Every structure is written in C-alpha cells, then in structure tokens.
Amino acid sequence: MRFLFITGGSPACVFAVAPLASAARNAGHEVFMAANEDLIPDVTGAGIPGISMTPHPVKHFVWKDRAGNELSVPWDRQGELRHLGGAFGRMAADSLDVLLELAGDWRPDIVVGGALSYAAPLLAAHLGVPSVRHAWDMTPTTDLDPGAAEELAPELRRLGLDRVPEPDLFVDITPPSLRRADAPDGLTMRWAPGSRQRRLERWMYTRTDDRPRALVTAGSRPYIPAHVDLLPRLTRTLSAAGIEVLLAGPQELVESLGAGLDEVKAGWIPLEVAARTCDLMVHHGGGVTTMGALNVGIPQLMLPKSNYQVESTQPVAEFGAGLLLTRDQDTIEEIEKCCLELLSNPSYASRAGQLAAEIATLPPPAEVVGTLENLVTP
C-alpha cells in the first residue's frame, strides 16, 4: 500500500509522526511524508522519503494573511486558538495544489495527517481514500478546527465540500489517565521517540557525579524570544543551586548564548537517551518534549508562553507529575523554587513513573499499522 503522511509546523511535528511512518515502511509499505520545505531535512533524517509541500515555514502563516498583510496573535485563549487554526488552514491552502499534483503521479491508498495538517482530510476526501488524524501531543486540537474551517472556505468549495471532513480514525498518544473528558474517540497508541539523532557521548547516557541532574530545553526550534532569553540565566541559577544541567537545543542556538556556560554540557542532545539519566526536565511546554519526559517517568517543570502550550501541559501538572508556571508566573526565583520542590518531593517522581508505566502498556506503532491497513482493505 501507499501511505502518504502530511505534517508540518516545526521539527517536533515531524518527530511526532515519524515512528508510525517508519513502522508502516518497515511493514513493507511505500511511505512518503510531505512537509514544509524547511522541515525536509528532519523528514529525510528520520529515513523517510520527503516531499516539499510549501516553500514557507509555519511562522509565515502565523504572522501573515493570504495577501501578505501582517497579523498579530491575540493573547486571549479563544482568540489565540482561532488564530492558530486559521494559520494552519492557510498552510493547508498553500500546500493543496502540490499535494494534488503528487496524487496525480503517486496516488496514496491512505492519507495520515498530523493533528493540524488540514490538507490531509481535504486531499483524502478528494481522492476517496481513508483519512487518519495523528495527534502530535496532548493538546485538544479540535479547539482549533473552527478557525481552520473558516480560513479554508474557498478550498472546501473548490473540492465540493461544505466542511473539513472528519477522519476515519483518530490516533491519540495521550495516556488514558490524562485524557480530557471531551476528547474525540480514537485509537490510543504508545508514544515513541522520533527525534533527530547524533553520535552519542558517554555523558549523555551516564551520570558523571552525585548532584541532581536536570535537562533544560526550549525545544527543537525555539521561536519565542522569552524562552531563548531565559536559558543562560536559568542554567546558571540551577548550577549555583547544586544541580548539574544539560542544556539541549540546536547547536547554533546553544553556541550563541554567550559566556558563562563553558562548563555546561550543551548542544543537540537526544532527549530519550539523556532524560533517563536525569531527575528533572525543565522546558518550554512543547508537546513532544512533554511526552518525552512522561515516557521515561521523570518530573517536569513546564514554562508555556502560549495558551496552546498550556492546553498540552496542564494535565501533567493536574496529575501531579510536574509543575506548570504560566508566562505571568515564571520569574527566575519561582522557577528555582519549583525545581527544588520537584527534586525534594518524591511524589512527583512517583506520579511520573505511573504515567510511564501506563504508556508502556499501550499498542506500539507497529501494531497500529495493522489497523490502518484494515481501513484500506476491511
């Protein structure tokens, strides 16, 4: 069978769907993955044939409308989620012609779209093939659907549709204990790491001393200045508190942070390797990073700057597996206080361990491939 995966937004969006795409490929299927041009190195780095579906990065669609006019992002929850839905709708509209052309040359039997990859259900409906919506993280992305549908009205009319079609299957990666009561029905799959790798060094998979160890990151492609600006001061503060810090991020970003970090182990660090040696993860609230910490069962301090990231991380804090500081709370003093609380109170590690054990019982991507095959040949 031919599986077309469509994703885009950030490298993390590729990392989120790469395990299922790789599982389909390992099962003998033809697999292509379409993404924004700037993400193609992440797609091919995961060993998956990549198709560029738009030359623009996602930030182009977040900050500009179709005519190229500058936009501002509302700070209220409903306004922000509607705006982001519209941005991903614009990204889908910009990608659709390329995907239709691809389907003319290489017709997929099934289309699997990332959570906000609205081109996937449109293409699948046009071709008359099954459509799958693949969660990137624990964010209830259905809250963004109205903004996308409004933006995609011209494309829907063009394809003879009156709404964005519902998927034939929703693949969720939220541990059942953290699922929202109003979450859509779907098949829950075990989360698996899919991030870009590098040559390992001994300090990544072993402890070097007796100090508590924290992994600090602002994600695979930090785009909020406040997150980047916080990294040097946070790293120095935790080091002064007697905590060994691993600073994870793109190599060029880490190298640009300046003096005072010479003794800190920093750079592109495979989280699924290093996190297993850590007692704590401190991060920006990204969904893939959050899931990575849950998967290995360590407490986390989450510092989301957007309502979207709050939606993804809040269930972890409510379950007791971590703490969350919103953008009006995350002073350096409060961050240090929360880190010390997470390290000294064993209940957080216990609750995080419960979630890791729950994740381990869920069906792996290789098993889910069979369910997708049955959508094509029931």
Side-chain angles (χ1 to χ4, degrees):
M1 296 179 188
R2 289 178 169 178
F3 283 64
L4 176 60
F5 285 75
I6 302 175
T7 193
S10 73
C13 299
V14 175
F15 302 157
V17 301
L20 184 58
S22 296
R25 197 161 183 250
N26 292 341
H29 299 294
E30 293 183 63
V31 175
F32 284 4
M33 184 179 291
N36 308 60
E37 172 64 30
D38 62 316
L39 303 180
I40 294 301
D42 297 296
V43 174
T44 56
I48 302 167
I51 294 287
S52 174
M53 63 183 186
T54 171
H56 303 297
V58 70
K59 65 181 180 181
H60 171 85
F61 304 104
V62 172
W63 297 109
K64 293 185 178 181
D65 64 16
R66 295 197 190 205
N69 300 310
E70 296 290 334
L71 298 172
S72 58
V73 180
W75 282 110
D76 66 286
R77 179 184 180 276
Q78 290 301 323
E80 180 190 302
L81 297 180
R82 195 171 194 88
H83 175 88
L84 289 176
F88 279 94
R90 286 188 289 279
M91 189 173 81
D94 197 62
S95 309
L96 196 55
D97 284 344
V98 171
L99 295 172
L100 288 167
E101 182 180 19
L102 169 65
D105 296 329
W106 188 88
R107 182 184 175 88
D109 298 299
I110 186 170
V111 179
V112 183
L116 298 176
S117 301
Y118 293 103
L122 298 188
L123 179 67
H126 179 72
L127 298 176
V129 301
S131 168
V132 177
R133 189 175 196 175
H134 187 322
W136 286 329
D137 50 33
M138 294 185 292
T139 308
T141 47
T142 49
D143 292 344
L144 281 71
D145 291 351
E150 181 179 332
E151 180 67 40
L152 284 167
E155 285 69 31
L156 290 169
R157 288 194 298 269
R158 171 185 162 195
L159 296 176
L161 302 171
D162 58 3
R163 59 183 176 82
V164 176
E166 293 293 323
D168 295 282
L169 177 68
F170 173 55
V171 175
D172 196 4
I173 48 83
T174 305
S177 294
L178 302 185
R179 281 175 62 86
R180 267 185 15 178
D182 61 348
D185 293 334
L187 173 64
T188 303
M189 182 180 75
R190 184 190 309 168
W191 183 88
S195 60
R196 192 169 64 251
Q197 297 300 309
R198 58 163 287 185
R199 177 176 59 83
L200 295 179
E201 299 183 38
R202 187 169 181 266
W203 59 264
M204 296 178 184
Y205 55 87
T206 60
R207 294 287 285 262
T208 56
D209 57 42
D210 294 330
R211 289 179 294 167
R213 185 182 244 197
L215 196 157
V216 176
T217 181
S220 56
R221 183 180 291 170
Y223 66 95
I224 297 179
H227 280 143
V228 177
D229 296 342
L230 177 66
L231 290 176
R233 189 178 177 196
L234 172 58
T235 300
R236 288 191 284 267
T237 298
L238 295 184
S239 296
I243 299 170
E244 181 190 8
V245 176
L246 307 184
L247 179 59
Q251 195 67 37
E252 61 275 13
L253 169 66
V254 171
E255 292 174 354
S256 73
L257 292 179
L261 301 178
D262 296 340
E263 302 303 316
V264 174
K265 295 177 175 66
W268 186 265
I269 303 172
L271 296 192
E272 70 270 23
V273 175
R276 295 185 184 278
T277 73
C278 295
D279 305 293
L280 169 67
M281 190 180 291
V282 184
H283 63 88
H284 60 302
V288 170
T289 306
T290 301
M291 290 302 304
L294 292 179
N295 190 54
V296 300
I298 62 171
Q300 47 191 309
L301 174 59
M302 301 156 287
L303 309 171
K305 299 293 186 186
S306 69
N307 292 294
Y308 179 89
Q309 291 171 331
V310 170
E311 299 279 337
S312 179
T313 54
Q314 199 162 27
V316 178
E318 291 175 349
F319 189 80
L323 294 173
L324 183 154
L325 295 175
T326 57
R327 59 176 174 262
D328 57 342
Q329 300 172 321
D330 59 355
T331 64
I332 198 71
E333 295 78 16
E334 194 64 26
I335 291 172
E336 180 182 6
K337 177 182 174 182
C338 287
C339 287
L340 295 176
E341 165 67 13
L342 289 165
L343 290 170
S344 63
N345 187 336
S347 69
Y348 296 104
S350 176
R351 295 294 273 174
Q354 291 177 40
L355 291 173
E358 183 175 86
I359 290 170
T361 67
L362 300 174
E367 190 173 316
V368 172
V369 170
T371 303
L372 270 56
E373 292 170 342
N374 291 334
L375 292 175
V376 181
T377 56

